[in-house]
Amino acid sequence: MNFISKAAKKSPWIYRINAGSCNGCDVELATTACIPRYDIERLGCQYCGSPRHADIILITGPITVGVKDKLLRVYEQVPDPKVTVAVGICPISGGVFRESYAIAGPLDQFVPVDVNIAGCPPRPQAIIEGLAMAIDIWASRA
Amino acid sequence: MIGEFFRILFAVLVFPGGLFAIALGLLLKGVERRLVARLQRRIGAPLLQPFYDLVKLMGKITFVPDLADTNVFLMTPLIGVASMSLAMAMLPIAGVYAPSPMLGDLLVLFYVISLPALSLMLAGSASGSPFGAIGFSREMALMLAYEGPILLVIVSVALHVGAASGRGPMFSLAEIVQYQIRHGPLILDWRMVPAALAYAAFIPANLGMPPFDIAEAETELLEGPLLEYTGASLGLLKLASAIKTVAIAGLGVALFFPNGPGGVLGVVAFAAKCLVIVGCLSVLKAAVGRMRIDQAVVFYLRWPVLFGVLSLAMVAIHV
Ligand code: SF4
């Protein structure tokens, strides 16, 4: 492991994209990051406002037809190396919205997904575990 | 002449500019993050987090947006870092370092210190992003509001020191520090207390800290001018803001409380004073929200100007 990837392992900046989520997963993500109990800043994580600063992309929601192009455009804006995490059952299989005419997903048809975090919505503990896996993958790429 | 040149080069690149300022600045940023987290009852990032962030950013690729002006876009982060290293080389540290007179006086320093804000404004407008443009206009409005009071502070300090040593206005920072070592720090002089308060109000606005982080407002402008930056150039912008923390705190220390032991202990004392200032800023950051731009401008045109004029008037009458 070289010098940069050692540092990168301690500084994964995360960016979340809502691709038609019911907001349940987003609330759990916000909880994971913002309340003292699950404070993920101790892992060096930091939510960034701009996709251009991001290392790990968290995608929630079932990829609706309307949001698909925007999702791919934002995904392109994230500089390499990057890691993609699907949060919730929606981006993995469509979840409760599967087989709907309004859904373009699942996510792995469009972008390479590295980690799936199942649940509807997943618990913060599960999100943290998924993030830890994503951080390992990110460090091996950086 | 050549020796002088190398002395200045050393000051800009190694101590107290360059390496020393980078190390101290990043450490101060780490302390600030940790302290804010502790005040919010979180564990918070490790102390060395800003170093990790910086190294990581150096390893990422750099995008230039389609709408951006490539040269300006890539040059501006360098202007920020270079001007702040220069500013550090112009700051005396009592008993440790006296800047070469060739580097210029307090007024030159005043302009050098406003360069990073200018580079941020250029960055915002060159990035071609609407958020950057809003950040640019806010930064400009804020700068116009806080530059006035800081000039009042500088002039009153210069007048005071000049009058007390029987000469005209004294704009040499080294002389101001010498004066304070002989006669005690200026912050203990009641005529200078309003000026010190005005300077204290100026610090958070210049550093883009709450409640005056209006230009980079993460939650509404997504970091404004920094929005389009990636990889190494973003790292340089973060680096410039870290050195700026040291430079602005260091200027406050030099103007109002430079006294301290010589040698290595003097460096430690300087770092400790910066740490105290950053600690106060962190408490402020954890305690308050963000002002609107109009509120901030009115605030700066009211209180710091009032305090600055008060100090200036008292100094002028005593002459
Ligand atoms: S996985 Fe469940 S909670 Fe999450 S976005 Fe889908 S429906 Fe909502």
Side-chain angles (χ1 to χ4, degrees):
Chain A
M1 223 192 237
N2 66 18
F3 180 58
I4 287 190
S5 73
K6 260 187 197 153
K9 185 165 181 164
K10 297 190 167 153
S11 163
W13 288 1
I14 52 186
Y15 179 72
R16 53 175 199 239
I17 304 177
N18 179 333
S21 147
C22 77
N23 211 36
C25 286
D26 293 274
V27 170
E28 293 303 320
L29 281 178
T31 314
T32 317
C34 298
I35 72 171
R37 184 166 182 160
Y38 303 115
D39 176 35
I40 52 168
E41 201 187 357
R42 75 182 95 165
L43 302 177
C45 288
Q46 176 178 325
Y47 271 124
C48 32
S50 160
R52 292 192 186 273
H53 304 175
D55 305 314
I56 295 179
I57 317 159
L58 305 168
I59 300 177
T60 59
I63 329 296
T64 58
V65 172
V67 89
K68 190 190 117 193
D69 294 340
K70 286 97 180 168
L71 172 73
L72 294 180
R73 267 172 65 194
V74 174
Y75 184 83
E76 291 294 307
Q77 308 272 315
V78 180
D80 284 325
K82 57 191 167 192
V83 174
T84 319
V85 181
V87 179
I89 199 67
C90 278
I92 301 174
S93 72
V96 289
F97 304 112
R98 70 183 171 278
E99 289 161 17
S100 159
Y101 64 90
I103 301 302
L107 178 63
D108 56 7
Q109 291 182 354
F110 312 116
V111 297
V113 177
D114 297 293
V115 180
N116 284 322
I117 304 176
C120 182
R123 294 175 64 87
Q125 291 91 328
I127 296 180
I128 293 175
E129 191 191 351
L131 259 177
M133 288 162 71
I135 290 172
D136 283 336
I137 297 175
W138 146 245
S140 68
R141 281 185 195 164
Chain B
M1 198 61 204
I2 294 289
E4 186 74 359
F5 174 75
F6 279 110
R7 215 173 77 90
I8 292 177
L9 205 61
F10 180 80
V12 172
L13 293 181
V14 184
F15 179 88
L19 294 179
F20 171 74
I22 288 172
L24 184 57
L26 291 178
L27 198 64
L28 288 177
K29 286 267 171 196
V31 170
E32 175 210 317
R33 262 181 89 173
R34 184 84 176 183
L35 206 57
V36 170
R38 298 307 307 193
L39 286 169
Q40 294 173 343
R41 298 200 169 191
R42 292 186 287 121
I43 291 181
L47 268 188
L48 295 182
Q49 187 64 39
F51 291 92
Y52 302 141
D53 289 350
L54 192 69
V55 173
K56 175 203 72 177
L57 284 172
M58 293 301 159
K60 295 204 72 158
I61 60 170
T62 304
F63 280 152
V64 178
D66 294 344
L67 288 175
D69 180 329
T70 312
N71 292 330
V72 180
F73 186 79
L74 294 178
M75 276 302 288
T76 42
L78 288 175
I79 298 177
V81 174
S83 63
M84 277 299 99
S85 291
L86 179 62
M88 281 305 292
M90 293 166 74
L91 277 179
I93 300 177
V96 183
Y97 170 78
S100 152
M102 266 163 60
L103 279 174
D105 57 9
L106 202 45
L107 288 178
V108 180
L109 182 62
F110 168 72
Y111 285 107
V112 173
I113 274 185
S114 59
L115 272 180
L118 279 174
S119 91
L120 210 59
M121 276 153 54
L122 268 181
S125 59
S127 68
S129 136
F131 289 112
I134 300 175
F136 160 71
S137 76
R138 288 184 179 185
E139 180 82 44
M140 186 144 76
L142 198 59
M143 197 173 151
L144 290 177
Y146 68 64
E147 297 275 77
I150 189 64
L151 205 55
L152 282 176
V153 170
I154 287 178
V155 171
S156 36
V157 169
L159 270 182
H160 178 76
V161 173
S165 44
R167 279 173 289 179
M170 176 60 69
F171 283 108
S172 156
L173 208 47
E175 297 272 344
I176 292 175
V177 169
Q178 279 307 320
Y179 170 82
Q180 294 183 71
I181 290 174
R182 268 182 266 118
H183 299 97
L186 283 181
I187 191 147
L188 296 181
D189 186 321
W190 59 273
R191 276 168 292 171
M192 281 295 123
V193 170
L197 285 177
Y199 191 84
F202 152 83
I203 295 177
N206 195 307
L207 296 182
M209 301 266 285
F212 304 111
D213 56 340
I214 305 167
E216 290 165 39
E218 276 174 22
T219 37
E220 48 184 295
L221 287 188
L222 317 174
E223 305 198 33
L226 274 58
L227 177 72
E228 295 287 345
Y229 279 89
T230 48
S233 46
L234 178 63
L236 285 179
L237 282 171
K238 299 256 174 204
L239 193 60
S241 98
I243 309 179
K244 194 161 140 189
T245 313
V246 188
I248 301 292
L251 178 59
V253 168
L255 282 180
F256 295 107
F257 192 63
N259 305 45
V264 180
L265 271 182
V267 180
V268 175
F270 176 75
K273 286 174 198 165
C274 291
L275 205 59
V276 170
I277 294 178
V278 168
C280 297
L281 287 176
S282 315
V283 175
L284 196 67
K285 183 174 180 179
V288 298
R290 183 181 310 123
M291 278 191 180
R292 288 199 315 268
I293 181 70
D294 55 323
Q295 291 169 325
V297 169
V298 169
F299 172 86
Y300 274 103
L301 292 182
R302 189 176 290 155
W303 299 112
V305 168
L306 186 73
F307 285 140
V309 170
L310 202 64
S311 255
L312 194 59
M314 285 193 287
V315 170
I317 290 167
H318 263 264
V319 168

